[in-house]
Amino acid sequence: MRAKTIIEPFRIKSVEPISWTTRELREQLLRAAYYNLFLLPAEDVLIDLLTDSGTGAMSTHQWAGLMEGDESYAGGRSFDHFRDSIQHIFGYKHVIPTHQGRAAERILFNVACKKGDVVPNNTHFDTTRANVEFVGAEAVDLVIPEGRQPSLKHPFKGNMDVEALETLICNVGRARVPLVMLTVTNNSGGGQPVSMENIRQVSAVCRQNGIPLYFDACRFAENAYFIKLREPGYASKTPQQIAQAMFSYGDGCTMSAKKDGLANIGGFLCTNDDTLAQREKDLLILTEGYPTYGGLAGRDLEAIAVGPQEVLHEDYLQYRIASIAYLGDHIAAQGVPIVQPPGGHAVYIDARAFLPHIPPAQFPGVALAAELYLEGGIRSVEIGTLMFGAAAKMDLVRLAIPRRVYTQSHIDYVVEIILEVWKNRDKICGLKLSHEAPFLRHFTARLEPVEGVLAR
Ligand SMILES: Cc1ncc(COP(=O)(O)O)c(C=O)c1O
């Protein structure tokens, strides 16, 4: 018999203390951080759900790998381990290391796109959108309509609207679409997966038009596991077989190894195109480093060589997806509006529905994130009007769960705090901007409560 209780599939060998603060201190800290949780000192956060990026715990094999790191400038053996591991899963001809995902994006869009181009994606992540726009191209989000309705349940809300893609290519002309991207899972759309069927259809449209298909592969293993759980025909396949099948429909990918790479830093760019790869490596040398290290230490490459293999273990993925659902289901059961169903790496609270008295222009997501910090020292992040400006279709608060870091009692605490804030939600006020940067403004924005205080 298989027990019903799904447990953390690891033992804890090394621990890191977390620190308590009083509400009074948190009020002062929040004011000093201009109500922007990015500006808080991390040591004043009790449970840090700001991001699942680079915040995971490495395994004993990864730590052992660090000691094996070959720090040679060129031709180091750690690069061979890294490349072989990535090629085994992703299957692409060229593997180019970068210091993180956005560096891979910058290089790809610099080389493949020019002013006036259009890049379709299911939903661009903030750095992806910013990198497309930085070269003067237009980033277009084409997620299916169901993906824009937070409370609607659908097994693959990250799917791309294939008809909309065909229409867009037809309207702007194939020559202006240098590549199509699929983000798996769809982070900005709620961590929702993309089905194999959708990948196949998008790939077919790309092939018909001679346009390369790239994956934003940050959470490829979580996406593969959702396909196994939800898509007919995949239940008996391993996550690795599913991931390999997903990537076989594309021509390359960008990847932040800080997510499903289970590493604390790193990323890579893959392509099957020899000419493009050469231009990408030339640019890499200029800005990141030699192509056998790409801005990373040899030891980082060793950790990344191990991570993508471990992340595909089925007991890990079962625990991972079950623990995210546990948080989402427990708050939703009490009426908290969340993006349904819970995503692969995070639970997203629908801040517009949680705080209907705060208009999007007064940043309901930022106000809710600030209140969760005040109430219980929890740090989350707004994905909405502050992050995307007027282009934001939703105002969400993302509670991203670092991999292999928190236990179920930490999550029970988070549930308790969210439900407390939910009870007092009508007392929360909106915010206004007092400072903003010209791009990616959410990282450094300064805000203040419209009514002088955050809670009435
Ligand atoms: C979908 C997606 N793409 C790209 C990135 C950028 O990766 P990085 O933070 O390593 O630059 C992220 C990071 O959160 C992401 O979630």
Side-chain angles (χ1 to χ4, degrees):
M1 179 207 103
R2 196 172 168 129
K4 285 195 268 328
T5 308
I6 297 167
I7 60 169
E8 286 87 355
F10 46 78
R11 297 186 295 191
I12 297 168
K13 193 177 252 180
S14 175
V15 296
E16 186 183 3
I18 49 178
S19 48
W20 296 89
T21 46
T22 60
R23 187 181 172 104
E24 201 185 5
L25 179 59
R26 289 195 293 276
E27 277 169 9
Q28 287 168 23
L29 288 162
L30 198 59
R31 265 197 303 277
Y34 301 97
Y35 298 86
N36 182 345
L37 302 187
F38 278 105
L39 304 181
L40 278 177
E43 66 179 2
D44 295 319
V45 174
L46 185 66
I47 306 277
D48 204 345
L49 308 183
L50 180 73
T51 176
D52 63 322
S53 179
T55 51
M58 291 208 297
S59 68
T60 48
H61 292 305
Q62 287 179 294
W63 282 106
L66 294 194
M67 295 307 294
E68 296 285 346
D70 176 351
E71 305 302 342
S72 306
Y73 189 94
R77 78 177 169 269
S78 294
F79 174 74
D80 298 340
H81 296 162
F82 160 81
R83 181 203 51 219
D84 294 350
S85 167
I86 301 308
Q87 276 178 338
H88 179 65
I89 298 165
F90 291 71
Y92 299 122
K93 190 167 171 195
H94 300 278
V95 183
I96 301 170
T98 58
H99 80 274
Q100 58 184 93
R102 69 198 68 186
E105 293 165 359
R106 189 185 60 79
I107 290 171
L108 173 66
F109 298 128
N110 254 276
V111 167
C113 298
K114 57 182 186 322
K115 196 165 186 269
D117 282 348
V118 177
V119 178
N121 200 325
N122 42 356
T123 310
H124 288 83
F125 184 64
D126 62 351
T127 58
T128 326
R129 171 172 287 277
N131 274 300
V132 169
E133 291 173 353
F134 197 67
V135 297
E138 188 189 348
V140 180
D141 293 342
L142 295 180
V143 75
I144 53 170
E146 291 88 334
R148 298 187 202 275
Q149 296 173 53
S151 60
L152 190 103
K153 286 196 178 173
H154 180 289
F156 292 104
K157 279 172 97 172
N159 282 354
M160 182 175 273
D161 184 335
V162 180
E163 237 172 76
L165 174 66
E166 286 177 304
T167 309
L168 178 88
I169 296 171
C170 185
N171 287 348
V172 305
R174 181 261 162 270
R176 284 179 59 206
V177 185
L179 59 100
V180 172
M181 269 203 133
L182 270 178
T183 304
V184 291
T185 57
N186 190 22
N187 184 5
S188 307
Q192 301 293 322
V194 179
S195 71
M196 192 73 83
E197 180 57 19
N198 190 252
I199 294 172
R200 212 176 282 128
Q201 289 174 357
V202 170
S203 173
V205 171
C206 289
R207 298 260 146 97
Q208 275 156 24
N209 288 280
I211 300 171
L213 172 62
Y214 276 73
F215 289 94
D216 178 338
C218 296
R219 298 177 181 86
F220 73 97
E222 289 162 9
N223 200 90
Y225 194 64
F226 277 125
I227 289 177
K228 182 179 170 73
L229 294 181
R230 297 180 185 172
E231 192 162 352
Y234 290 94
S236 63
K237 302 265 188 268
T238 64
Q240 179 174 300
Q241 287 168 331
I242 297 172
Q244 286 165 333
M246 283 162 47
F247 293 126
S248 72
Y249 290 105
D251 301 282
C253 71
T254 56
M255 171 77 185
S256 168
K258 300 169 75 175
K259 285 86 174 175
D260 275 350
L262 294 180
N264 299 122
I265 195 70
F268 51 89
L269 170 58
C270 292
T271 180
N272 283 333
D273 182 325
D274 295 338
T275 315
L276 203 67
Q278 193 50 56
R279 292 176 58 210
E280 287 168 351
K281 286 180 200 173
D282 292 344
L283 187 55
L284 186 85
I285 292 175
L286 188 68
T287 59
E288 291 278 301
Y290 193 73
T292 57
Y293 75 88
L296 295 167
R299 54 181 170 271
D300 300 325
L301 294 171
E302 293 286 352
I304 301 170
V306 176
Q309 308 292 333
E310 281 185 354
V311 81
L312 288 166
H313 290 181
E314 214 163 317
D315 54 359
Y316 163 76
L317 284 167
Q318 185 193 32
Y319 134 81
R320 172 79 178 153
I321 300 303
S323 53
I324 309 295
Y326 178 89
L327 169 58
D329 294 345
H330 275 73
I331 57 174
Q334 302 302 317
V336 176
I338 64 165
V339 174
Q340 289 284 8
H345 65 295
V347 169
Y348 294 68
I349 300 176
D350 179 354
R352 285 189 195 173
F354 196 111
L355 301 172
H357 56 285
I358 302 183
Q362 289 180 10
F363 310 109
V366 186
L368 177 55
E371 193 59 34
L372 292 175
Y373 177 70
L374 274 184
E375 186 63 35
I378 298 167
R379 178 155 70 168
S380 53
V381 70
E382 184 246 24
I383 298 193
T385 306
L386 183 61
M387 188 177 273
F388 293 121
K393 304 278 186 302
M394 302 188 258
D395 276 285
L396 305 175
V397 170
R398 186 186 70 177
L399 303 149
I401 312 297
R403 293 170 181 78
R404 307 189 290 203
V405 169
Y406 293 117
T407 63
Q408 185 170 334
S409 55
H410 290 116
I411 300 299
D412 284 332
Y413 172 85
V414 174
V415 169
E416 185 182 330
I417 297 300
I418 293 171
L419 295 181
E420 193 54 35
V421 172
W422 174 239
K423 262 196 264 160
N424 298 310
R425 60 193 179 277
D426 51 349
K427 299 200 186 81
I428 302 172
C429 299
L431 294 155
K432 60 182 179 204
L433 272 168
S434 58
H435 164 82
E436 63 178 308
F439 43 81
L440 295 177
R441 66 178 181 176
H442 52 290
F443 287 119
T444 52
R446 295 178 181 182
L447 300 105
E448 57 193 65
V450 281
E451 293 178 23
V453 285
L454 193 61
R456 275 176 274 159

